[in-house]
Amino acid sequence: MDFQVVVLAGGTSKKLVPLVSKEVPKALLPVANRPVLSYVLEQLELSNIKDLIVVVEGADAALCVGGWISAAYVDRLHVEVATVPEDVGTAGALRAIAHHLTAKDVLVVSGDLVSDVPPGAVTAAHRRHDAVVTAMICSVPVSGLSEAGSSGAKDKTKKPGRYNIIGMDPTKQFLLHIATGAELEKDTRIRKSILRAVGQMDIRADLMDAHMYAFNRSVLQEVLDQKDKFQSLKQDVLPYLVRSQLKSEILINGAPQGQQAKENGNDKVSYRILANASTPSFHELYALGPNGSAPVRRTHKCCVYIASNSKYCVRLNSIQAFMDINRDVIGEANHLSGYNFSAQNNIIHPSAELGSKTTVGPHCMLGEGSQMGDKCSVKRSVIGRHCRIGSNVKVVNSVVMNHVTIGDGCSIQGSVICSNAQLQERVALKDCQVLSLSTSVFLSLSSNEYL
Amino acid sequence: MDSRRSSRALIDPKVRQVGFFTNAPLPPDRTQSDPPDPIHSTPLADASSPGNFLSPVMIPPPRHPSSSLLPRLPHSPSDAFPPPSPTTTTTTTSLGDFSDDVTAASSPPSAAAAAARVRGRGSSVKQQGAASSFPGGGFEVPPSVKAPSSVPASGLTTVSVVKLPPGISENAGGSVSVEVQSDRALNSKPLKEKTSKAERRAIQEAQRAAKAAAKAEGIKTPAATALANAKPTKSTRPSPQRNDSPVVVAASEKKGGDRSVEKDRKKDVPHPRMQYDDKSRVQKLKKRSVVKPTEARNRVELFRHLPQYEHGTQLPVLQSKFFQLDTLHPAVYKVGLQYLSGDICGGNARCIAMLQAFQEAIRDYSTPPAKTLSRDLTAKISSYVSFLIDCRPLSVSMGNAIRFLKSQIAKIPISLSESEAKATLHSDIERFINEKIILADRVIVKHAVTKIRDGDVLLTYGSSSAVEMILQHAHELGKQFRVVIVDSRPKHEGKLLLRRLVRKGLSCTYTHINAISYIIHEVTRVFLGASSVLSNGTVCSRVGTACVAMVAYGFHIPVLVCCEAYKFHERVQLDSICSNELGVLLAGDPDSISKVPGREDINHLDGWDKSENLQLLNLIYDATPSDYVSLIITDYGMIPPTSVPVIVREYGRGQLWI
């Protein structure tokens, strides 16, 4: 279908700093004991996309990610990994691989997207309107917000104003305005010309950008070439394209717009028949001259695909989101995980050993080769592979990664414990992140600290 | 043939007298102010001479074969389409550079990469080359990736490849050679007798590379080496070898599967008037259909024979299938999507959009090996057509256009080279659009304008492209008239027409169809468009047209139907029940009926579609009996509806489609 797919896997994100490290880049963070990148790749594979380019920031991270992909997908996908320097941003990453892009359109997906929205829907919307860019937006996860409200401490981890303001036309097909959270603090400026051309604009604050874009390749390359200060797709490129949609400066090679009206009279007639037959979008109306003659103004279309509420669509871009996704993937969105759930609605690997009177509640996951002592209780948590957990341990709402040793009588609530960590006896953790690197924890901690 | 026609012209036409014909002759200067049209001045010449008006039955001699107009020139292949690159080539394809920077880093497998590239025949080049450059499927960062420039260009590293069966995937070094062979075996089948020197060399090189790769890996695969040894024999008799190698079996299965799918699609193009209450046929259709719609819960019994689908189920399915439909050309997919979503509607526009998509598809088409262009392309077009039918049932105009295209493909002499054949088809399609639609419209406009007098009040229904052109042209000629646009829910197509006409400066009145009996008193002429005209004179058009025509008939107002001749069909239909289309997207869409545009506060019907006893029906077309039609204006002249069979017989099928 003349589409190339680029997965931006990122590097070691600063926002996730206690969790990610040189060994575990963001793309390999385990979600229900699977790297988060695998959710994207599998969703793409499901859509019959076999050729991918995965862009990773930093050579070390690229090595890890590449190694993992080659092990996991050797016979299934044709993946090429590109390494870009760190801190070039998403736009910079695309700039670096721009010379590899040859297809008519490019689908750019963030590697941290956990979603079951078919990517074909975005690309189809893109093709239908001959758009320059099509962005997928989804509703802000309600569950995450309500959860944050219940345990008050989490409000702080949630950065304020992480929301988008998204303006659309009444048919909800075109993107008219987009502003990210940082801009929200100030006043929001909306182009008068756009507002006048459309006549009516729906402004939504309950939607967010899911970071899955379909770009027209030539336009994308041109924008990246001309505006070499652009760092981020989300904050620079997309708003720029949306802003300038009615006074387009880009040369569209394929000329999907009104430039088609060639000298030949017959072509013009057929073009007019086609144009009259369809309901013109405001772009075409605006582009028309004052007397309805040939288009005089250059416009381009920015489309939007809204994921329906029944679909799951969250980005793993904060620690809070990491906790939420882990909980959801084994909970309400468990079709994403790809595991078969037992009758008790949990997954316990056959090789896991449970002590006597140990209970593993629903929406839990126990990885391969993990051992649990007596009288433990696990609720709504993910426990990784080869963990050793002593007796009388309570794990609630937490994520325990691989090879973790937890002493007797610990109580862990709402925390993330990274690989290879060791907890001594009777440690109580609440809303903490425990770094790996064989830290031994003796103290009881609460609130948002990390070691 | 000539004598026949002239004799008919002498006979006084035995048709109903169309009253307004004897009206005052038109001033000749008006007609002469037409834009000069050198090609079609012939039918106009007698029209403009003042003493000789157009007789109701005026069938001009068949237009001279369009060779004079758009000569069917054998394009030189270079200007229309670049000649396809030779199939056995030693140059790298554009994707070859993916592996170039990698091969620079890792020396031993580079020969394999090169060999794979030499062998390459199209799309698998990139994968093969990349696969062989990483024998272990392992990962390695090429040292050249970090360029110090401000915009660092980064290289790509292939870390995993596709379609290796699990058994062999552990030692990719071996599997590369296996894959190379499997492709080779399949590709070389047509020319197994003669392998050119370059090819033998490629085989050898591939073999050598495979061995080198295997050695570098330190893993000897007995199967791979055995296969590598068996290769020379294989190219001569491929069948027994193919069966015992799992790879080859998989590959051949895949290919065979594709072919059978294509064949299926070709075979099962549903009949345009399929009866959807026939259970077995519907089952068959469902199996084949790309867009699997869910059937409506409350189907209207009387219309069981038409497909009735639940609203809004098709578009998401089609969208999510985007990447599955690999065999489909993107342009065709886009057109299908636009049909389905209602972005394009109207007979002419749909036909032009379809033909232009086919033009693009033909331009990007290349004949697979061991197939002839005419057969394979026909199958391809058929599969496209069945996809389009899935999106929305074909109109008569599209059916005629498809028949024309297929006959043109079949007519292509086998001696013609591929690029020439493609160029010919391209110009054929262009010619069809120009002559059958655009020039036809122009001729219709010329004829119809003579029927508009100063002071007329013209009524039109919905939005017809031909009627719109007539009104605009008459306005440009300086005629003084007023237009009444009658419209109906739910699509409100007349609004767009109104907007365009008002912008041109015409004086318009807009009303809904329920006010037709009120407004009809002022009207002196009714101009209607048509989706198709059947051979008993029945006019199929947007639902509501029949109502307008009947009201006009009741008030003795002439009804003129403007329809291009390529929309004529020899079928006979008495009502609009037996064959019709249900609005797929809008049909079951309860919102289109319950919502009042501009009045958000009116919500009395919210949620009414949940009711068990409610059956929604939204027909798209209706049939106007010929009694209510005074005149049909086509590109062959103005004819009474009873003369439609003449046009169909004289110009239809063989003769009409050039």
Side-chain angles (χ1 to χ4, degrees), chain A residues 224-296:
Chain A
L224 291 178
D225 280 352
Q226 283 176 357
K227 316 272 174 186
D228 46 351
K229 288 208 180 61
F230 280 2
Q231 282 271 310
S232 149
L233 286 181
K234 182 179 176 171
Q235 285 172 2
D236 298 323
V237 177
L238 184 62
Y240 167 76
L241 285 174
V242 169
R243 233 172 20 234
S244 63
Q245 57 183 317
L246 288 185
K247 40 171 198 162
S248 173
E249 294 157 16
I250 43 183
L251 280 169
I252 299 167
N253 293 343
Q257 304 294 322
Q259 282 82 14
Q260 281 167 336
K262 296 166 206 150
E263 299 308 306
N264 190 341
N266 287 345
D267 274 354
K268 225 192 255 169
V269 175
S270 68
Y271 171 73
R272 211 172 61 213
I273 292 176
L274 278 180
N276 288 352
S278 53
T279 319
S281 76
F282 67 91
H283 296 96
E284 281 132 24
L285 290 178
Y286 184 80
L288 287 178
N291 52 356
S293 58
V296 290

Side-chain angles (χ1 to χ4, degrees), chain A residues 9-29 55-62 64-65 84-87:
Chain A
T12 49
S13 162
K14 286 197 182 64
K15 274 177 258 161
L16 291 163
V17 102
L19 303 184
V20 296
S21 61
K22 284 271 183 285
E23 292 82 44
V24 186
K26 179 178 166 187
L28 297 185
L29 273 181
V55 185
V56 188
E57 285 184 8
D60 297 339
C64 300
V65 174
V84 296
E86 286 178 53
D87 299 327

Side-chain angles (χ1 to χ4, degrees), chain A residues 370-446:
Chain A
S370 284
Q371 298 170 359
M372 298 193 77
D374 301 339
K375 291 184 184 170
C376 293
S377 138
V378 181
K379 284 176 193 163
R380 298 187 78 96
S381 298
V382 179
I383 294 174
R385 298 184 189 88
H386 304 290
C387 291
R388 290 227 299 274
I389 296 174
S391 316
N392 247 336
V393 177
K394 272 187 188 166
V395 183
V396 182
N397 274 336
S398 298
V399 179
V400 177
M401 294 188 196
N402 303 336
H403 302 284
V404 174
T405 310
I406 298 177
D408 294 347
C410 286
S411 154
I412 299 163
Q413 273 190 359
S415 302
V416 182
I417 298 172
C418 294
S419 296
N420 304 324
Q422 288 184 342
L423 301 187
Q424 302 293 324
E425 290 175 13
R426 287 176 217 289
V427 177
L429 295 175
K430 196 170 181 232
D431 304 325
C432 297
Q433 289 87 43
V434 175
L435 211 55
S436 53
L437 301 174
S438 311
T439 340
S440 300
V441 181
F442 303 96
L443 305 163
S444 293
L445 300 164
S446 70

Side-chain angles (χ1 to χ4, degrees), chain A residues 166-408:
Chain A
I166 290 172
M168 289 170 294
D169 76 317
T171 59
K172 300 205 179 358
Q173 289 178 336
F174 299 107
L175 198 55
L176 306 177
H177 179 74
I178 187 157
T180 49
E183 291 164 73
L184 186 54
E185 310 294 327
K186 297 172 273 173
D187 295 339
T188 302
R189 287 172 181 277
I190 293 169
R191 294 240 155 191
K192 213 176 187 176
S193 58
I194 295 179
L195 196 56
R196 199 181 291 143
V198 189
Q200 190 182 347
M201 189 193 282
D202 283 8
I203 293 188
R204 304 276 296 264
D206 57 342
L207 296 174
M208 65 171 205
D209 186 354
H211 218 298
M212 182 191 277
Y213 310 109
F215 282 104
N216 182 311
R217 196 247 324 155
S218 56
V219 169
L220 177 66
Q221 283 176 342
E222 198 176 313
V223 171
L224 291 178
D225 280 352
Q226 283 176 357
K227 316 272 174 186
D228 46 351
K229 288 208 180 61
F230 280 2
Q231 282 271 310
S232 149
L233 286 181
K234 182 179 176 171
Q235 285 172 2
D236 298 323
V237 177
L238 184 62
Y240 167 76
L241 285 174
V242 169
R243 233 172 20 234
S244 63
Q245 57 183 317
L246 288 185
K247 40 171 198 162
S248 173
E249 294 157 16
I250 43 183
L251 280 169
I252 299 167
N253 293 343
Q257 304 294 322
Q259 282 82 14
Q260 281 167 336
K262 296 166 206 150
E263 299 308 306
N264 190 341
N266 287 345
D267 274 354
K268 225 192 255 169
V269 175
S270 68
Y271 171 73
R272 211 172 61 213
I273 292 176
L274 278 180
N276 288 352
S278 53
T279 319
S281 76
F282 67 91
H283 296 96
E284 281 132 24
L285 290 178
Y286 184 80
L288 287 178
N291 52 356
S293 58
V296 290
R297 286 181 260 206
R298 299 156 56 84
T299 57
H300 61 246
K301 292 180 186 171
C302 301
C303 290
V304 75
Y305 176 81
I306 306 176
S308 72
N309 273 335
S310 56
K311 300 283 187 188
Y312 188 79
C313 180
V314 186
R315 285 189 65 200
L316 200 167
N317 50 9
S318 65
I319 293 171
Q320 177 63 45
F322 176 73
M323 304 282 295
D324 290 346
I325 291 173
N326 263 302
R327 190 193 58 228
D328 290 340
V329 164
I330 54 170
E332 59 195 38
N334 56 23
H335 57 282
L336 278 170
S337 66
Y339 297 105
N340 288 324
F341 282 76
S342 69
Q344 287 80 37
N345 224 346
N346 54 18
I347 313 154
I348 298 175
H349 197 273
S351 63
E353 291 171 27
L354 299 179
S356 62
K357 290 192 180 170
T358 290
T359 55
V360 178
H363 307 307
C364 283
M365 182 166 185
L366 203 54
E368 175 191 351
S370 284
Q371 298 170 359
M372 298 193 77
D374 301 339
K375 291 184 184 170
C376 293
S377 138
V378 181
K379 284 176 193 163
R380 298 187 78 96
S381 298
V382 179
I383 294 174
R385 298 184 189 88
H386 304 290
C387 291
R388 290 227 299 274
I389 296 174
S391 316
N392 247 336
V393 177
K394 272 187 188 166
V395 183
V396 182
N397 274 336
S398 298
V399 179
V400 177
M401 294 188 196
N402 303 336
H403 302 284
V404 174
T405 310
I406 298 177
D408 294 347

Side-chain angles (χ1 to χ4, degrees), chain B residues 34 39 57 94 144 180 310 334 412 431 459 525 555 615:
Chain B
D34 293 350
I39 306 151
V57 183
S94 63
S144 62
V180 166
E310 193 78 54
K334 187 183 150 197
I412 286 176
R431 209 149 44 104
L459 184 143
R525 296 265 187 285
F555 283 81
Q615 298 170 341

Side-chain angles (χ1 to χ4, degrees), chain A residues 1-5 46-51 53-54 59 62-67 69-71 73-85 88 92-93 95-97 99-102 107 118-125 127-130 173 228 264-267 269-270 272-280 285 288-293 305, chain B residues 94-95 97-99 101 126-127 130-131 136-141 145-147 151-166 169 315-316 318-326 328-330 333-334 337-338 341-346 348-350 352-353 356 430 433-434 437-439 441-442 463 465 468-469 472 496 499-500 503-504:
Chain A
M1 279 300 196
D2 212 7
F3 250 97
Q4 264 180 308
V5 181
L46 214 64
S47 303
N48 200 23
I49 301 171
K50 301 286 185 203
D51 280 323
I53 299 176
V54 175
L63 208 63
C64 300
V65 174
I69 293 175
S70 68
Y73 290 96
V74 68
D75 53 340
R76 290 154 65 187
L77 295 174
H78 178 241
V79 182
E80 284 162 299
V81 170
T83 314
V84 296
V88 291
R95 213 173 272 143
I97 61 153
H99 60 285
H100 291 297
L101 302 177
T102 50
L107 179 69
V122 180
T123 51
R127 277 286 160 80
R128 179 178 151 198
H129 292 289
D130 260 334
Q173 289 178 336
D228 46 351
N264 190 341
N266 287 345
D267 274 354
V269 175
S270 68
R272 211 172 61 213
I273 292 176
L274 278 180
N276 288 352
S278 53
T279 319
L285 290 178
L288 287 178
N291 52 356
S293 58
Y305 176 81
Chain B
S94 63
L95 292 165
D97 61 351
F98 273 116
S99 55
D101 44 4
K126 172 174 137 198
Q127 300 167 5
F139 177 77
E140 204 176 329
V141 184
V145 285
K146 276 174 250 162
V151 182
S154 75
L156 297 182
T157 314
T158 307
V159 295
S160 87
V161 290
V162 219
K163 291 265 164 77
L164 301 188
S169 59
L315 192 61
L318 185 63
Q319 283 185 337
S320 59
K321 286 263 173 87
F322 185 79
F323 289 102
Q324 268 97 329
L325 299 167
D326 270 340
L328 215 57
H329 192 272
Y333 178 85
K334 187 183 150 197
L337 205 60
Q338 284 174 333
S341 57
D343 284 354
I344 295 182
C345 53
N348 283 342
R350 274 168 73 198
I352 291 176
Q356 284 175 346
E430 198 73 53
I433 296 177
N434 281 338
I437 304 176
I438 293 169
L439 289 182
D441 275 341
R442 216 172 274 173
S463 170
S465 57
E468 182 181 354
M469 284 184 216
Q472 288 187 357
L496 295 170
R499 188 168 292 163
R500 289 193 292 264
R503 203 186 287 139
K504 295 273 182 190

